[in-house]
């Protein structure tokens, strides 16, 4: 677990050149994280692999926590990418389940990177790095949109938060090998069915 | 987050003298953890505060992770202590909710210690320290007993696991100040009602 010495605000890339360097950094960190895991990734190695100056790296990512939290944010940005399977789901709850399962399978393809991301997200959460809250809000909105809930009640929002917490717990279990991928999928589907079955306007079961 | 260099098996206290020293260590660590938080508790300080040799401390607790995971195990052992409020619950789901809420309130009384416990539990989980699995199993059994589920189905066990994951997520949120204690209580009650409402033999809603 990386230490977060200070929640220094990260710079945002502006020019095309800056944006290209920013993307190269994320890609390099993801590659190294997938190979080595969080503990064995050094900021110097990321800078070298991305071919940027170390000062550039630190300007955008004041810590490893910021860096791997940004990789998570990037993955979350792709959560609602269109897919035939999700589009074909007849029940909105199935659409949510398929979306969470697609992300879960994606994460399980690079377990060391996913572990790095989860550890950083946990550290960011406990250090109130603002990006962690933004990621949570983004996933929350994605689920509400899939459910077609334009005007969620307080209870709906709570159910979605409980689903996110359940999903997060299942991810930790499967990434650290405490449960199988098949069991994780069953639990995620069950969490969607039971928790979202309690939302406003849900058809009676 | 403490590093877990190795999952060395911890010694078990046997004689009355050993047991007394073991209890003194747990009490001292809980006191220092509540005052300072995990990062600022040193193993030497715990040994001094508990008036035991540093070698004794390490024999029972090979790392800070082991030490604070043991404090969590100790708290979990008291989860099913009798209470008038829990005994008076007419619905078994209310009995589970009251039990989780009592533990939650107990943890919120010493937020730095609770944060130390959650961080250690997370580290133990990711390092497969066996105590973490034992704690999970203990909480699981407590919930099944409160529900009167002697022969839980696979689905029942999954629902209980999802409840534990939801509760854990709510605890992290409230301990790190991302949500209020009142909102945490509402979310815990909702998680109990919705997830356990789906168990076998649950009355139709």
């Amino acid at each position: 677990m990386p230490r977060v010495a200070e929640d220094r605000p990260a710079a945002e890339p502006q020019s095309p050149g800056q944006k290209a360097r920013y993307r190269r950094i994320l890609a390099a960190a993801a590659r190294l994280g997938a190979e080595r895991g969080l503990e064995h990734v050094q900021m110097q190695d990321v800078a070298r692999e991305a071919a940027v100056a170390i000062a550039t790296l630190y300007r955008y990512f004041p810590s490893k926590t910021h860096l791997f939290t940004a990789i998570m944010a990037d993955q979350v940005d792709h959560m609602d990418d269109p897919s035939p399977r999700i589009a074909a789901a007849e029940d909105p709850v199935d659409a949510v389940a398929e979306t969470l399962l697609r992300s879960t399978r994606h994460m399980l393809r690079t377990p060391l990177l996913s572990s790095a991301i989860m550890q950083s997200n946990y550290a960011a959460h406990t250090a109130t790095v603002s990006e962690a809250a933004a990621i949570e809000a983004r996933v929350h909105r994605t689920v509400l949109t899939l459910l077609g809930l334009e005007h969620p009640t307080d209870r709906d929002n709570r159910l979605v938060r409980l689903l996110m917490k359940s999903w997060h717990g299942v991810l930790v279990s499967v990434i650290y090998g405490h449960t199988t991928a098949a069991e994780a999928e069953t639990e995620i589907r069950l969490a969607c069915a039971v928790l979202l079955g309690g939302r406003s306007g849900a058809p009676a079961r």
Side-chain angles (χ1 to χ4, degrees), chain A:
Chain A
M1 170 77 41
R3 296 270 297 279
V4 185
E6 43 173 348
D7 188 8
R8 183 143 55 89
E12 293 276 335
Q14 305 290 346
S15 72
Q18 288 175 338
K19 283 182 186 161
R21 283 190 287 280
Y22 186 94
R23 302 294 323 164
R24 281 212 311 276
I25 292 170
L26 285 187
R31 213 154 47 228
L32 292 175
E35 276 170 28
R36 307 179 185 176
L38 189 65
E39 233 174 278
H40 300 288
V41 173
Q42 305 301 330
M43 292 295 261
Q44 300 92 302
D45 299 334
V46 175
R48 197 178 311 120
E49 180 90 1
V52 301
I54 187 84
T56 304
L57 173 57
Y58 275 107
R59 190 157 61 238
Y60 295 128
F61 307 102
S63 72
K64 269 208 282 188
T65 295
H66 287 80
L67 181 52
F68 283 91
T69 300
I71 295 174
M72 186 176 207
D74 197 45
Q75 291 192 355
V76 162
D77 274 343
H78 290 284
M79 260 191 89
D80 52 3
D81 282 355
S83 110
R85 196 159 182 172
I86 295 167
E90 289 186 11
D91 187 325
V93 173
D94 291 339
V96 174
E98 291 302 333
T99 300
L100 300 187
L101 290 174
R102 181 175 62 170
S103 292
T104 304
R105 289 180 202 125
H106 179 81
M107 291 185 82
L108 286 177
R109 257 174 250 137
T110 51
L112 282 178
L113 174 61
S114 297
S115 160
I117 285 174
M118 303 295 280
Q119 277 176 268
S120 297
N121 184 49
Y122 188 83
H125 201 70
T126 61
T128 65
V129 170
S130 52
E131 284 83 350
I135 288 173
E136 219 172 281
R138 178 80 163 84
V139 177
H140 195 105
R141 276 199 310 278
T142 299
V143 172
L144 288 178
T145 304
L146 286 165
L147 290 172
L149 280 179
E150 280 178 53
H151 304 289
T153 62
D154 287 349
R155 183 185 154 98
D156 291 333
N157 282 320
R158 287 186 182 116
L159 289 169
V160 172
R161 282 201 293 273
L162 289 171
L163 176 62
M164 294 303 96
K165 290 171 163 76
S166 299
W167 180 41
H168 183 270
V170 174
L171 276 176
V172 170
S173 285
V174 67
I175 286 170
Y176 293 107
H178 298 293
T179 194
T180 64
E183 174 60 26
E185 297 214 356
T186 305
E187 288 184 12
I188 291 168
R189 282 188 205 281
L190 182 62
C192 289
V194 176
L195 288 169
L196 300 181
R199 76 191 186 282
S200 57
R205 281 171 295 168

